[in-house]
Amino acid sequence: MANDPIKQFHLNELIPLEIGGVDISFTNSSLFMVATVVLTSGFLIWATNGRGMVPSRAQSLAEISYEFVAGMLRDSAGSQGMKFFPLVFSLFLFILVANMFGMFPYFFTVTSHIIITVALALLVFLTVLGVGFLKHGFGFLKLFVPSGVPIVILPLVVAIEIISFLARPISHSVRLFANMLAGHITLKVFAGFVVSLSSFGAVGIAGSILPMLMTIGLTALEFLVAFLQAYVFTMLTCMYINDALHPGGH
Amino acid sequence: MIIDQAWAASSEATQSETGTAADAAAHGGGGGTFPPFDPATFASQLLWLAITFGIFYLIMGRVVIPRVAGILETRRDRISRDLDETQRLKSESEAAHAAYEHELAEAKRSAHAIGQEATDKAKQEATAEREKVEATLAVKLGEAETRIDAIKQKALGEVGAIASDTTDAIVKELIGGKLTKAEISKAVSAASK
């Protein structure tokens, strides 16, 4: 059914694989992950191949993405945070390019599946936990004890801080997943209206102009969302890394 | 309502075109569950995410980031080196300018001194020359005055003789007598007094 707005999220097995009864087939999602990685890496390697003192257009694009992410990380987590630059840079580009791939009609959006965003968010969460405890030991727990809070309400504040900390991977992953999912469903529904209305003849075609305009507007909005969600995911990653490096002060 | 009908119509059209197999695939793939929440696909997605993101992380960390960092660092070094060079050249040119100013002032001063000296010397020479000329002139003037005096004296002396002769001649013509020289000169000197 062409107008089913959910169909675009279906995984189709391209190369069926199974190990120990677990389905690990190479699907359209896997294909687009590979495409994301190949395209991004290929472009960046090709663009920086000249190592020009005066950059070409492609090279300045690579430099701009580098400095954009580096600036974000340095502003949030200081120069110490630059140790995590490869992770943050990879996350940003992977999510951005995967989101942008999703904007092509008939393409699969890797980040519209919650398992992917949960995995990425957990990667960040566990990195923050690991680094925090390795660097500060139990001093990392100071993160949950804000300074200057009256002793009476301190237990309550600590409980809230712990809950909000544990909720981080959930909000971190659901924000990206839900934005991509909802955006693509809305886009598909409005685009579906255009097709459906058009089957009513002249009046229907005239009436389909409205959902058509809506689809155009939503497409622009979705491009913005695709970038913005990659940015937000990366920005939060930077802030969480800052917490791991400096649990006491903010 | 209208939309539902449209939907039904279009879905019928699609079914008649592509057959029920596509319809079954669209709906039956996830066993009726919403695809993003279908746990059957989680293992595959996680595995391929781990593979692709792992490779991506390695490529970024090992190749792309060192490259871009290298490019940026080279450029920063180059710019700061160029700025240093500019600073050096600027101070050099300022020093050269100061030296030039100094030389110029020196030259002006020495030119002035030379001019002054030449003027003084010329003045001195002119004065000496004038004094010499004046001295010569004074000597000549003195000589001339002496000569004039001598001529005058001589002339005055001869005036007496001429007067005596004239007197003698006049007396001879008028009275035909002869007078002695002593008488004549006595009379002349008495008359010329």
Side-chain angles (χ1 to χ4, degrees):
Chain A
M1 168 149 115
N3 285 339
D4 183 356
I6 303 301
K7 195 196 162 211
Q8 58 178 322
F9 303 114
H10 258 289
L11 289 176
N12 304 319
E13 295 180 3
L14 301 177
I15 306 170
L17 292 171
E18 201 179 301
I19 292 179
V22 183
D23 180 19
I24 51 158
S25 305
F26 188 84
T27 60
N28 50 352
S29 169
S30 322
L31 177 69
F32 278 98
M33 290 185 213
V34 171
T36 300
V37 169
V38 169
L39 184 95
T40 315
S41 313
F43 173 78
L44 288 177
I45 289 172
W46 169 75
T48 54
N49 213 17
R51 291 185 174 80
M53 184 60 71
V54 178
S56 61
R57 284 182 199 189
Q59 192 186 316
S60 11
L61 195 58
E63 286 173 15
I64 288 168
S65 5
Y66 179 98
E67 294 197 313
F68 178 66
V69 180
M72 220 193 298
L73 183 56
R74 203 180 290 113
D75 289 348
S76 322
S79 52
Q80 274 181 299
M82 293 312 281
K83 261 189 299 185
F84 301 95
F85 183 61
L87 176 68
V88 177
F89 190 63
S90 308
L91 276 174
F92 176 69
L93 284 184
F94 188 84
I95 295 171
L96 178 70
V97 176
N99 287 355
M100 286 300 177
F101 258 126
M103 289 309 297
F104 284 92
Y106 300 108
F107 277 24
F108 183 82
T109 315
V110 174
T111 43
S112 66
H113 276 245
I114 192 158
I115 187 68
I116 298 290
T117 61
V118 161
L120 294 175
L122 276 179
L123 176 66
V124 173
F125 184 72
L126 294 177
T127 306
V128 166
L129 270 187
V131 171
F133 278 115
L134 272 181
K135 245 180 114 68
H136 303 283
F138 285 104
F140 181 57
L141 296 176
K142 271 192 293 188
L143 182 64
F144 306 122
V145 190
S147 53
V149 175
I151 196 83
V152 186
I153 59 164
L154 195 61
L156 184 65
V157 172
V158 168
I160 292 172
E161 289 280 341
I162 290 174
I163 292 168
S164 81
F165 182 80
L166 294 177
R168 274 176 183 183
I170 301 168
S171 63
H172 202 190
S173 57
V174 169
R175 184 178 296 111
L176 174 60
F177 153 72
N179 266 289
M180 299 320 291
L181 182 82
H184 282 77
I185 290 176
T186 320
L187 205 52
K188 191 70 186 253
V189 166
F190 277 97
F193 285 168
V194 179
V195 179
S196 311
L197 282 171
S198 301
S199 63
F200 280 124
V203 180
I205 290 173
S208 70
I209 289 174
L210 278 178
M212 184 69 201
L213 291 177
M214 191 70 183
T215 309
I216 294 169
L218 279 174
T219 307
L221 182 71
E222 278 309 297
F223 271 110
L224 179 70
V225 169
F227 170 78
L228 211 60
Q229 287 307 316
Y231 174 73
V232 167
F233 194 96
T234 317
M235 193 70 212
L236 287 171
T237 304
C238 294
M239 288 163 63
Y240 296 163
I241 286 174
N242 182 44
D243 282 344
L245 294 171
H246 317 285
H250 286 275
Chain B
M1 271 298 123
I2 290 170
I3 287 156
D4 282 347
Q5 282 169 8
W7 221 317
S10 87
S11 81
E12 269 172 38
T14 321
Q15 274 178 0
S16 60
E17 279 166 18
T18 57
T20 45
D23 195 29
H27 273 294
T33 51
F34 185 52
F37 294 139
D38 182 3
T41 64
F42 284 1
S44 151
Q45 293 200 60
L46 281 177
L47 175 74
W48 288 103
L49 176 69
I51 293 172
T52 52
F53 191 75
I55 293 173
F56 190 63
Y57 179 78
L58 284 180
I59 295 175
M60 290 300 117
R62 297 274 160 85
V63 185
V64 172
I65 290 173
R67 259 196 202 190
V68 179
I71 290 169
L72 294 177
E73 199 160 325
T74 314
R75 185 174 307 140
R76 203 162 29 236
D77 285 356
R78 173 71 187 275
I79 288 172
S80 72
R81 208 171 52 236
D82 283 0
L83 281 179
D84 287 353
E85 180 74 3
T86 316
Q87 194 58 45
R88 194 179 63 77
L89 289 176
K90 192 179 164 221
S91 61
E92 244 173 43
S93 85
E94 271 169 4
H97 186 71
Y100 161 77
E101 291 279 336
H102 182 73
E103 288 282 313
L104 188 67
E106 195 89 314
K108 268 185 185 162
R109 217 176 8 255
S110 82
H112 188 72
I114 289 169
Q116 191 63 46
E117 201 179 311
T119 315
D120 287 353
K121 204 175 151 200
K123 257 187 197 164
Q124 227 168 20
E125 274 174 6
T127 316
E129 194 72 21
R130 201 181 66 224
E131 275 167 1
K132 213 169 92 187
V133 171
E134 275 174 0
T136 324
L137 285 178
V139 170
K140 280 188 178 163
L141 198 66
E143 274 173 11
E145 273 174 357
T146 328
R147 221 170 54 231
I148 289 167
D149 271 353
I151 290 167
K152 203 173 154 189
Q153 290 301 318
K154 202 175 143 200
L156 281 176
E158 279 170 6
V159 166
I162 289 166
S164 304
D165 286 348
T166 313
T167 312
D168 189 28
I170 290 166
V171 169
K172 213 184 268 174
E173 278 295 316
L174 289 176
I175 51 183
K178 260 269 209 195
L179 288 175
T180 59
K181 268 208 176 165
E183 280 170 338
I184 290 167
S185 60
K186 194 178 160 191
V188 166
S189 60
S192 59
K193 262 183 196 163

